[in-house]
Protein backbone atom coordinates (compact mmCIF):
# COMPACT_ATOMS: atom_id res chain seq x y z
CA UNK A 1 0.00 0.00 0.00
CA UNK A 2 0.95 3.59 -0.55
CA UNK A 3 1.22 5.64 2.59
CA UNK A 4 1.64 9.42 2.71
CA UNK A 5 4.20 10.13 5.41
CA UNK A 6 6.37 12.97 4.12
CA UNK A 7 6.21 15.68 1.49
CA UNK A 8 9.52 14.28 0.23
CA UNK A 9 7.44 11.53 -1.38
CA UNK A 10 5.53 14.02 -3.55
CA UNK A 11 6.81 14.55 -7.07
CA UNK A 12 5.67 17.50 -9.10
CA UNK A 13 3.44 15.13 -11.10
CA UNK A 14 1.84 13.76 -7.91
CA UNK A 15 1.14 17.26 -6.63
CA UNK A 16 -0.32 18.40 -9.93
CA UNK A 17 -2.55 15.33 -10.18
CA UNK A 18 -3.98 15.91 -6.69
CA UNK A 19 -4.43 19.67 -7.22
CA UNK A 20 -6.11 19.19 -10.61
CA UNK A 21 -8.50 16.65 -9.11
CA UNK A 22 -9.11 18.96 -6.13
CA UNK A 23 -10.07 21.73 -8.56
CA UNK A 24 -12.67 19.35 -10.06
CA UNK A 25 -14.11 18.66 -6.61
CA UNK A 26 -14.04 22.39 -5.89
CA UNK A 27 -16.10 22.90 -9.07
CA UNK A 28 -18.75 20.44 -7.90
CA UNK A 29 -17.53 17.02 -9.14
CA UNK A 30 -19.12 14.21 -7.11
CA UNK A 31 -18.24 10.54 -6.63
CA UNK A 32 -19.93 7.80 -4.64
CA UNK A 33 -17.74 6.04 -2.13
CA UNK A 34 -20.61 4.60 -0.11
CA UNK A 35 -19.23 1.95 2.23
CA UNK A 36 -15.67 3.32 2.35
CA UNK A 37 -14.56 4.22 5.85
CA UNK A 38 -11.75 6.46 7.01
CA UNK A 39 -10.25 5.97 10.48
CA UNK A 40 -9.38 9.16 12.36
CA UNK A 41 -6.70 8.70 15.02
CA UNK A 42 -5.76 12.04 16.53
CA UNK A 43 -3.42 11.85 19.51
CA UNK A 44 -3.05 15.66 19.48
CA UNK A 45 -5.57 18.48 19.18
CA UNK A 46 -6.83 19.52 15.73
CA UNK A 47 -9.64 21.58 14.31
CA UNK A 48 -8.88 21.94 10.59
CA UNK A 49 -7.13 18.71 9.73
CA UNK A 50 -9.55 16.45 11.53
CA UNK A 51 -12.73 18.27 10.52
CA UNK A 52 -11.67 18.68 6.89
CA UNK A 53 -10.73 15.00 6.55
CA UNK A 54 -14.09 14.14 8.10
CA UNK A 55 -15.89 16.53 5.75
CA UNK A 56 -13.92 15.32 2.73
CA UNK A 57 -14.67 11.64 3.36
CA UNK A 58 -18.38 12.36 3.86
CA UNK A 59 -18.51 14.55 0.74
CA UNK A 60 -17.04 11.60 -1.18
CA UNK A 61 -20.04 9.57 -0.03
CA UNK A 62 -18.04 7.58 2.52
CA UNK A 63 -17.93 7.89 6.27
CA UNK A 64 -15.46 8.14 9.15
CA UNK A 65 -14.78 6.30 12.38
CA UNK A 66 -13.08 8.39 15.03
CA UNK A 67 -10.88 7.18 17.87
CA UNK A 68 -11.96 10.34 19.68
CA UNK A 69 -9.85 12.23 22.18
CA UNK A 70 -6.92 10.34 23.71
CA UNK A 71 -8.50 10.76 27.14
CA UNK A 72 -11.57 8.75 26.22
CA UNK A 73 -9.73 6.08 24.19
CA UNK A 74 -7.81 3.04 25.41
CA UNK A 75 -4.58 4.97 24.83
CA UNK A 76 -5.40 6.25 28.30
CA UNK A 77 -5.05 2.67 29.57
CA UNK A 78 -1.60 2.39 28.05
CA UNK A 79 -2.38 0.86 24.64
CA UNK A 80 0.53 1.31 22.23
CA UNK A 81 0.35 3.14 18.91
CA UNK A 82 1.16 -0.08 17.07
CA UNK A 83 -1.72 -1.96 18.73
CA UNK A 84 -4.11 0.96 18.21
CA UNK A 85 -3.54 1.15 14.47
CA UNK A 86 -3.64 -2.66 14.10
CA UNK A 87 -7.11 -2.56 15.63
CA UNK A 88 -8.29 0.42 13.56
CA UNK A 89 -7.18 -1.19 10.27
CA UNK A 90 -9.88 -3.78 10.91
CA UNK A 91 -12.48 -1.02 11.01
CA UNK A 92 -11.34 1.35 8.27
CA UNK A 93 -9.98 1.43 4.71
CA UNK A 94 -7.36 4.07 5.49
CA UNK A 95 -6.03 5.71 8.64
CA UNK A 96 -5.35 9.40 9.23
CA UNK A 97 -2.90 9.76 12.10
CA UNK A 98 -1.79 12.77 14.10
CA UNK A 99 0.68 12.13 16.89
CA UNK A 100 3.08 14.16 19.05
CA UNK A 101 6.09 11.97 18.18
CA UNK A 102 8.15 12.53 15.06
CA UNK A 103 8.22 9.26 13.14
CA UNK A 104 4.87 8.03 14.50
CA UNK A 105 3.28 7.76 11.04
CA UNK A 106 6.24 5.80 9.71
CA UNK A 107 6.00 3.44 12.65
CA UNK A 108 2.23 3.01 12.20
CA UNK A 109 2.67 2.28 8.50
CA UNK A 110 4.93 -0.64 9.36
CA UNK A 111 2.17 -2.36 11.30
CA UNK A 112 -0.85 -2.09 9.00
CA UNK A 113 -1.94 -2.99 5.48
CA UNK A 114 -4.21 -0.01 4.88
CA UNK A 115 -2.86 3.39 3.74
CA UNK A 116 -1.61 5.58 6.56
CA UNK A 117 -1.82 9.34 6.05
CA UNK A 118 0.38 11.48 8.24
CA UNK A 119 -1.72 14.33 9.62
CA UNK A 120 1.23 15.70 11.62
CA UNK A 121 3.95 13.83 13.53
CA UNK A 122 5.44 16.04 16.21
CA UNK A 123 7.86 18.53 14.70
CA UNK A 124 8.26 16.27 11.66
CA UNK A 125 5.97 16.52 8.66
CA UNK A 126 2.40 17.48 7.71
CA UNK A 127 2.20 16.58 4.01
CA UNK A 128 -1.55 16.99 3.49
CA UNK A 129 -1.31 20.56 4.79
CA UNK A 130 1.31 21.08 2.10
CA UNK A 131 -1.08 19.94 -0.60
CA UNK A 132 -3.68 22.49 0.45
CA UNK A 133 -0.96 25.12 0.83
CA UNK A 134 0.20 24.42 -2.73
CA UNK A 135 -3.39 24.55 -3.96
CA UNK A 136 -3.77 27.98 -2.36
CA UNK A 137 -0.44 29.21 -3.75
CA UNK A 138 -1.35 27.93 -7.21
CA UNK A 139 -4.72 29.72 -7.12
CA UNK A 140 -3.19 33.03 -6.10
CA UNK A 141 0.35 33.23 -7.43
CA UNK A 142 0.90 30.16 -9.60
CA UNK A 143 3.55 27.57 -8.74
CA UNK A 144 6.41 28.62 -10.98
CA UNK A 145 8.65 31.64 -11.01
CA UNK A 146 7.50 32.63 -7.55
CA UNK A 147 9.25 33.91 -4.45
CA UNK A 148 7.94 32.55 -1.17
CA UNK A 149 8.81 33.84 2.30
CA UNK A 150 8.28 31.45 5.21
CA UNK A 151 8.40 33.13 8.62
CA UNK A 152 8.21 32.16 12.27
CA UNK A 153 8.96 28.84 13.91
CA UNK A 154 10.90 27.02 11.23
CA UNK A 155 12.45 24.60 13.70
CA UNK A 156 9.33 22.99 15.12
CA UNK A 157 6.84 23.94 12.39
CA UNK A 158 5.99 20.71 10.60
CA UNK A 159 3.91 22.51 7.98
CA UNK A 160 7.07 24.49 7.13
CA UNK A 161 9.21 21.38 6.75
CA UNK A 162 6.73 19.77 4.39
CA UNK A 163 6.08 22.91 2.35
CA UNK A 164 9.77 23.74 1.95
CA UNK A 165 10.53 20.22 0.71
CA UNK A 166 7.59 20.22 -1.72
CA UNK A 167 8.45 23.64 -3.18
CA UNK A 168 11.78 22.24 -4.38
CA UNK A 169 9.75 20.47 -7.10
CA UNK A 170 8.76 23.89 -8.47
CA UNK A 171 10.58 26.97 -9.68
CA UNK A 172 10.22 28.76 -6.37
CA UNK A 173 12.74 30.91 -4.52
CA UNK A 174 12.44 30.39 -0.77
CA UNK A 175 13.31 32.94 1.93
CA UNK A 176 13.26 31.70 5.51
CA UNK A 177 12.72 34.33 8.19
CA UNK A 178 13.15 33.36 11.86
CA UNK A 179 15.12 34.00 15.01
CA UNK A 180 18.49 32.27 15.02
CA UNK A 181 17.20 29.74 17.57
CA UNK A 182 14.29 28.65 15.35
CA UNK A 183 16.05 28.10 12.02
CA UNK A 184 15.10 25.14 9.84
CA UNK A 185 16.35 21.84 11.22
CA UNK A 186 19.53 20.46 9.75
CA UNK A 187 17.84 17.60 7.88
CA UNK A 188 15.49 19.96 6.04
CA UNK A 189 18.32 22.40 5.24
CA UNK A 190 20.30 19.47 3.89
CA UNK A 191 17.44 18.33 1.62
CA UNK A 192 16.95 21.87 0.31
CA UNK A 193 20.66 22.21 -0.37
CA UNK A 194 20.77 18.86 -2.17
CA UNK A 195 17.79 19.83 -4.34
CA UNK A 196 19.65 22.90 -5.58
CA UNK A 197 16.71 25.10 -4.56
CA UNK A 198 17.21 28.87 -4.39
CA UNK A 199 17.08 29.26 -0.61
CA UNK A 200 18.10 32.12 1.70
CA UNK A 201 17.80 32.60 5.46
CA UNK A 202 17.13 35.89 7.25
CA UNK A 203 16.48 37.12 10.78
CA UNK A 204 14.24 40.02 9.66
CA UNK A 205 11.38 40.41 7.17
CA UNK A 206 12.00 44.03 6.06
CA UNK A 207 14.61 43.53 3.35
CA UNK A 208 12.90 40.61 1.70
CA UNK A 209 9.20 41.55 2.00
CA UNK A 210 9.01 43.67 -1.19
CA UNK A 211 10.21 40.70 -3.29
CA UNK A 212 7.64 38.21 -2.08
CA UNK A 213 4.68 36.73 -3.97
CA UNK A 214 3.69 34.69 -0.92
CA UNK A 215 4.33 35.21 2.79
CA UNK A 216 3.64 32.08 4.86
CA UNK A 217 3.45 32.99 8.54
CA UNK A 218 3.56 30.36 11.30
CA UNK A 219 2.85 30.15 15.00
CA UNK A 220 5.67 29.65 17.48
CA UNK A 221 4.98 26.02 18.49
CA UNK A 222 4.91 26.51 22.23
CA UNK A 223 4.04 22.87 22.94
CA UNK A 224 7.34 21.70 21.38
CA UNK A 225 9.67 23.76 23.57
CA UNK A 226 11.43 21.79 26.29
CA UNK A 227 11.99 25.03 28.19
CA UNK A 228 9.22 27.60 28.66
CA UNK A 229 11.84 30.37 29.08
CA UNK A 230 13.17 29.64 25.64
CA UNK A 231 9.64 30.05 24.29
CA UNK A 232 9.21 33.38 26.07
CA UNK A 233 12.38 34.74 24.51
CA UNK A 234 10.99 34.39 21.00
CA UNK A 235 7.22 34.67 21.60
CA UNK A 236 5.78 37.82 20.11
CA UNK A 237 8.57 38.32 17.56
CA UNK A 238 7.78 37.90 13.88
CA UNK A 239 4.33 39.43 13.89
CA UNK A 240 2.78 41.26 10.98
CA UNK A 241 -0.01 43.82 10.83
CA UNK A 242 -1.59 45.86 8.04
CA UNK A 243 1.12 48.51 8.50
CA UNK A 244 3.89 45.94 7.92
CA UNK A 245 2.30 45.01 4.60
CA UNK A 246 2.45 48.55 3.22
CA UNK A 247 5.97 47.64 2.07
CA UNK A 248 4.71 44.53 0.26
CA UNK A 249 3.60 44.09 -3.33
CA UNK A 250 -0.11 44.76 -3.87
CA UNK A 251 -0.62 41.16 -4.93
CA UNK A 252 1.24 39.57 -1.99
CA UNK A 253 -0.64 36.49 -0.75
CA UNK A 254 -0.45 36.07 3.03
CA UNK A 255 -0.98 32.52 4.28
CA UNK A 256 -0.93 30.78 7.66
CA UNK A 257 -1.70 27.11 8.38
CA UNK A 258 -3.64 28.28 11.49
CA UNK A 259 -4.29 28.29 14.36
CA UNK A 260 -2.76 31.73 14.84
CA UNK A 261 -2.00 33.20 18.22
CA UNK A 262 -0.92 36.78 17.50
CA UNK A 263 1.42 36.46 14.49
CA UNK A 264 -1.07 38.09 12.13
CA UNK A 265 -2.95 41.08 13.54
CA UNK A 266 -6.70 41.13 12.93
CA UNK A 267 -6.34 44.25 10.72
CA UNK A 268 -4.67 42.06 8.05
CA UNK A 269 -7.90 40.03 7.77
CA UNK A 270 -9.60 42.98 6.08
CA UNK A 271 -6.89 43.38 3.42
CA UNK A 272 -6.77 41.70 0.00
CA UNK A 273 -3.56 39.97 1.15
CA UNK A 274 -5.38 37.67 3.59
CA UNK A 275 -5.86 34.14 2.26
CA UNK A 276 -5.56 32.00 5.39
CA UNK A 277 -9.26 31.26 5.73
CA UNK A 278 -9.58 30.28 2.04
CA UNK A 279 -6.50 28.17 2.66
CA UNK A 280 -8.24 26.30 5.50
CA UNK A 281 -11.34 25.80 3.33
CA UNK A 282 -9.19 24.37 0.54
CA UNK A 283 -8.45 21.46 2.89
CA UNK A 284 -11.76 19.86 1.89
CA UNK A 285 -11.40 19.55 -1.92
CA UNK A 286 -7.69 18.75 -1.60
CA UNK A 287 -8.31 15.98 0.94
CA UNK A 288 -11.20 14.68 -1.20
CA UNK A 289 -8.77 14.38 -4.11
CA UNK A 290 -6.11 12.72 -1.99
CA UNK A 291 -8.51 10.22 -0.40
CA UNK A 292 -10.17 9.38 -3.71
CA UNK A 293 -6.76 8.60 -5.17
CA UNK A 294 -5.39 6.66 -2.20
CA UNK A 295 -8.55 4.61 -1.68
CA UNK A 296 -8.55 3.69 -5.39
CA UNK A 297 -5.18 2.08 -4.90
CA UNK A 298 -6.38 0.03 -1.96
CA UNK A 299 -7.10 -3.64 -2.57
CA UNK A 300 -9.64 -4.19 0.16
CA UNK A 301 -12.73 -3.38 -1.92
N1 LIG B 1 -3.33 23.55 10.09
C1 LIG B 1 -3.61 22.57 10.98
O1 LIG B 1 -3.02 21.49 10.96
O2 LIG B 1 -4.60 22.89 11.88
P1 LIG B 1 -5.19 21.92 13.01
O3 LIG B 1 -4.06 21.70 14.00
O4 LIG B 1 -6.36 22.66 13.60
O5 LIG B 1 -5.57 20.63 12.36
Amino acid sequence: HDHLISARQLSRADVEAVLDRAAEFDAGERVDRTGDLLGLCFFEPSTRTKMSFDTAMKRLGGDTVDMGPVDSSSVKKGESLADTVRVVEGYADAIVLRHPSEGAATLASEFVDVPVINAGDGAGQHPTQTLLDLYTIRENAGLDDITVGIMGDLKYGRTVHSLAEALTEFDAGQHFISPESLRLPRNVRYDLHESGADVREHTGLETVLPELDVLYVTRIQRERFADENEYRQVAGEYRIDAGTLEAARDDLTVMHPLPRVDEIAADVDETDHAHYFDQAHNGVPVRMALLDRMLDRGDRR
Side-chain angles (χ1 to χ4, degrees):
H1 270 293
D2 289 341
H3 305 286
L4 178 56
I5 307 295
S6 165
R8 284 187 294 277
Q9 290 169 249
L10 299 169
S11 68
R12 184 184 175 117
D14 290 331
V15 170
E16 284 174 344
V18 173
L19 303 197
D20 289 347
R21 187 77 176 127
E24 291 172 7
F25 285 120
D26 222 354
E29 164 86 352
R30 289 290 171 259
V31 295
D32 184 5
R33 289 201 162 273
T34 305
D36 282 358
L37 281 172
L38 181 65
L40 302 174
C41 296
F42 280 69
F43 292 73
E44 264 194 345
S46 170
T47 298
R48 278 147 290 275
T49 310
K50 185 170 169 179
M51 291 188 73
S52 65
F53 264 115
D54 194 18
T55 306
M57 194 62 194
K58 287 169 179 168
R59 288 221 186 276
L60 290 171
D63 210 338
T64 57
V65 281
D66 183 1
M67 183 185 87
V70 162
D71 275 358
S72 60
S73 75
S74 283
V75 176
K76 188 78 178 164
K77 302 175 205 159
E79 187 159 37
S80 69
L81 174 61
D83 282 1
T84 302
V85 293
R86 276 187 285 197
V87 170
V88 176
E89 80 164 327
Y91 305 153
D93 303 292
I95 295 174
V96 178
L97 176 70
R98 169 168 293 187
H99 198 281
S101 303
E102 201 168 329
T106 304
L107 184 137
S109 71
E110 287 164 3
F111 284 89
V112 298
D113 286 328
V114 297
V116 172
I117 301 173
N118 183 4
D121 61 326
Q125 288 271 320
H126 192 349
T128 69
Q129 176 73 40
T130 293
L131 290 167
L132 71 94
D133 292 343
L134 294 174
Y135 188 84
T136 310
I137 294 173
R138 187 170 85 164
E139 269 192 329
N140 289 287
L143 277 171
D144 277 310
D145 195 20
I146 53 168
T147 305
V148 179
I150 305 184
M151 181 170 87
D153 185 347
L154 312 182
K155 180 179 180 182
Y156 298 116
R158 56 197 176 196
T159 73
V160 171
H161 307 159
S162 291
L163 179 59
E165 305 252 17
L167 281 172
T168 64
E169 292 286 311
F170 299 88
D171 176 17
Q174 299 193 61
H175 292 274
F176 294 97
I177 305 124
S178 74
E180 197 65 40
S181 62
L182 295 180
R183 285 174 70 194
L184 285 173
R186 194 192 308 247
N187 65 325
V188 178
R189 290 213 310 273
Y190 177 83
D191 287 346
L192 297 186
H193 178 76
E194 286 293 290
S195 75
D198 173 18
V199 167
R200 272 161 283 173
E201 295 181 88
H202 313 263
T203 52
L205 177 64
E206 301 72 28
T207 54
V208 66
L209 179 61
E211 288 180 43
L212 302 180
D213 298 294
V214 175
L215 175 60
Y216 190 97
V217 184
T218 65
R219 178 176 67 88
I220 309 288
Q221 310 279 306
R222 182 176 197 161
E223 65 277 24
R224 310 272 178 235
F225 282 74
D227 177 357
E228 178 75 12
N229 281 329
E230 230 181 274
Y231 168 75
R232 275 199 223 102
Q233 275 168 20
V234 288
E237 289 187 50
Y238 302 91
R239 281 185 196 169
I240 61 164
D241 58 24
T244 318
L245 297 180
E246 280 168 19
R249 287 174 32 178
D250 288 343
D251 62 355
L252 171 74
T253 298
V254 174
M255 296 170 60
H256 190 307
L258 303 178
R260 69 174 150 180
V261 181
D262 57 2
E263 313 77 47
I264 301 181
D267 61 3
V268 178
D269 300 358
E270 310 311 319
T271 71
D272 291 338
H273 298 296
H275 286 281
Y276 24 93
F277 291 108
D278 316 336
Q279 185 186 348
H281 297 159
N282 289 337
V284 173
V286 168
R287 290 180 168 120
M288 287 173 78
L290 180 72
L291 289 170
D292 199 41
R293 184 180 158 95
M294 291 185 79
L295 290 165
D296 265 349
R297 294 185 175 183
D299 56 11
R300 308 183 99 224
R301 281 174 195 280

